[in-house]
PDB file of all heavy atoms in Angstrom:
ATOM      1  N   VAL A 100     148.572 109.547  95.104  1.00 90.00           N
ATOM      2  CA  VAL A 100     147.742 109.201  93.949  1.00 90.00           C
ATOM      3  C   VAL A 100     147.138 107.808  94.115  1.00 90.00           C
ATOM      4  O   VAL A 100     145.976 107.579  93.763  1.00 90.00           O
ATOM      5  CB  VAL A 100     148.574 109.296  92.644  1.00 90.00           C
ATOM      6  CG1 VAL A 100     147.766 108.847  91.451  1.00 90.00           C
ATOM      7  CG2 VAL A 100     149.084 110.710  92.451  1.00 90.00           C
ATOM      8  N   GLY A 101     147.894 106.875  94.677  1.00 90.00           N
ATOM      9  CA  GLY A 101     147.381 105.523  94.874  1.00 90.00           C
ATOM     10  C   GLY A 101     146.174 105.491  95.802  1.00 90.00           C
ATOM     11  O   GLY A 101     145.210 104.752  95.577  1.00 90.00           O
ATOM     12  N   ALA A 102     146.223 106.290  96.862  1.00 87.00           N
ATOM     13  CA  ALA A 102     145.091 106.353  97.793  1.00 87.00           C
ATOM     14  C   ALA A 102     143.885 106.989  97.123  1.00 87.00           C
ATOM     15  O   ALA A 102     142.737 106.576  97.358  1.00 87.00           O
ATOM     16  CB  ALA A 102     145.477 107.132  99.044  1.00 87.00           C
ATOM     17  N   GLN A 103     144.124 107.991  96.271  1.00 89.00           N
ATOM     18  CA  GLN A 103     143.002 108.621  95.558  1.00 89.00           C
ATOM     19  C   GLN A 103     142.375 107.644  94.568  1.00 89.00           C
ATOM     20  O   GLN A 103     141.156 107.616  94.398  1.00 89.00           O
ATOM     21  CB  GLN A 103     143.478 109.884  94.860  1.00 89.00           C
ATOM     22  CG  GLN A 103     143.840 110.980  95.838  1.00 89.00           C
ATOM     23  CD  GLN A 103     144.471 112.179  95.155  1.00 89.00           C
ATOM     24  OE1 GLN A 103     144.667 112.196  93.950  1.00 89.00           O
ATOM     25  NE2 GLN A 103     144.799 113.190  95.954  1.00 89.00           N
ATOM     26  N   HIS A 104     143.193 106.814  93.924  1.00 92.00           N
ATOM     27  CA  HIS A 104     142.654 105.781  93.034  1.00 92.00           C
ATOM     28  C   HIS A 104     141.840 104.752  93.829  1.00 92.00           C
ATOM     29  O   HIS A 104     140.809 104.263  93.349  1.00 92.00           O
ATOM     30  CB  HIS A 104     143.777 105.086  92.257  1.00 92.00           C
ATOM     31  CG  HIS A 104     144.384 105.945  91.190  1.00 92.00           C
ATOM     32  ND1 HIS A 104     143.656 106.479  90.160  1.00 92.00           N
ATOM     33  CD2 HIS A 104     145.662 106.365  91.008  1.00 92.00           C
ATOM     34  CE1 HIS A 104     144.443 107.189  89.377  1.00 92.00           C
ATOM     35  NE2 HIS A 104     145.682 107.140  89.875  1.00 92.00           N
ATOM     36  N   ALA A 105     142.313 104.436  95.042  1.00 88.00           N
ATOM     37  CA  ALA A 105     141.548 103.519  95.898  1.00 88.00           C
ATOM     38  C   ALA A 105     140.206 104.135  96.281  1.00 88.00           C
ATOM     39  O   ALA A 105     139.198 103.432  96.384  1.00 88.00           O
ATOM     40  CB  ALA A 105     142.357 103.167  97.145  1.00 88.00           C
ATOM     41  N   ALA A 106     140.166 105.440  96.483  1.00 88.00           N
ATOM     42  CA  ALA A 106     138.906 106.118  96.798  1.00 88.00           C
ATOM     43  C   ALA A 106     137.942 106.026  95.618  1.00 88.00           C
ATOM     44  O   ALA A 106     136.743 105.772  95.805  1.00 88.00           O
ATOM     45  CB  ALA A 106     139.158 107.578  97.161  1.00 88.00           C
ATOM     46  N   TRP A 107     138.446 106.221  94.407  1.00 91.00           N
ATOM     47  CA  TRP A 107     137.593 106.080  93.221  1.00 91.00           C
ATOM     48  C   TRP A 107     137.091 104.639  93.080  1.00 91.00           C
ATOM     49  O   TRP A 107     135.931 104.400  92.710  1.00 91.00           O
ATOM     50  CB  TRP A 107     138.339 106.506  91.955  1.00 91.00           C
ATOM     51  CG  TRP A 107     138.413 107.987  91.791  1.00 91.00           C
ATOM     52  CD1 TRP A 107     139.512 108.779  91.975  1.00 91.00           C
ATOM     53  CD2 TRP A 107     137.340 108.853  91.420  1.00 91.00           C
ATOM     54  NE1 TRP A 107     139.183 110.084  91.744  1.00 91.00           N
ATOM     55  CE2 TRP A 107     137.854 110.165  91.398  1.00 91.00           C
ATOM     56  CE3 TRP A 107     136.003 108.662  91.120  1.00 91.00           C
ATOM     57  CZ2 TRP A 107     137.081 111.261  91.085  1.00 91.00           C
ATOM     58  CZ3 TRP A 107     135.223 109.758  90.801  1.00 91.00           C
ATOM     59  CH2 TRP A 107     135.761 111.038  90.784  1.00 91.00           C
ATOM     60  N   GLY A 108     137.948 103.681  93.358  1.00 90.00           N
ATOM     61  CA  GLY A 108     137.529 102.283  93.299  1.00 90.00           C
ATOM     62  C   GLY A 108     136.471 101.953  94.340  1.00 90.00           C
ATOM     63  O   GLY A 108     135.506 101.231  94.067  1.00 90.00           O
ATOM     64  N   ALA A 109     136.622 102.499  95.542  1.00 86.00           N
ATOM     65  CA  ALA A 109     135.619 102.268  96.587  1.00 86.00           C
ATOM     66  C   ALA A 109     134.294 102.944  96.227  1.00 86.00           C
ATOM     67  O   ALA A 109     133.220 102.398  96.483  1.00 86.00           O
ATOM     68  CB  ALA A 109     136.137 102.776  97.930  1.00 86.00           C
ATOM     69  N   ALA A 110     134.364 104.121  95.616  1.00 87.00           N
ATOM     70  CA  ALA A 110     133.143 104.792  95.175  1.00 87.00           C
ATOM     71  C   ALA A 110     132.442 103.983  94.081  1.00 87.00           C
ATOM     72  O   ALA A 110     131.208 103.854  94.080  1.00 87.00           O
ATOM     73  CB  ALA A 110     133.466 106.201  94.677  1.00 87.00           C
ATOM     74  N   LEU A 111     133.229 103.428  93.182  1.00 90.00           N
ATOM     75  CA  LEU A 111     132.656 102.560  92.152  1.00 90.00           C
ATOM     76  C   LEU A 111     132.017 101.321  92.776  1.00 90.00           C
ATOM     77  O   LEU A 111     130.949 100.874  92.338  1.00 90.00           O
ATOM     78  CB  LEU A 111     133.733 102.153  91.139  1.00 90.00           C
ATOM     79  CG  LEU A 111     133.276 101.213  90.029  1.00 90.00           C
ATOM     80  CD1 LEU A 111     132.237 101.908  89.144  1.00 90.00           C
ATOM     81  CD2 LEU A 111     134.452 100.744  89.210  1.00 90.00           C
TER      82      LEU A 111
END
Side-chain angles (χ1 to χ4, degrees):
V100 176
Q103 291 173 359
H104 288 301
W107 282 106
L111 178 64

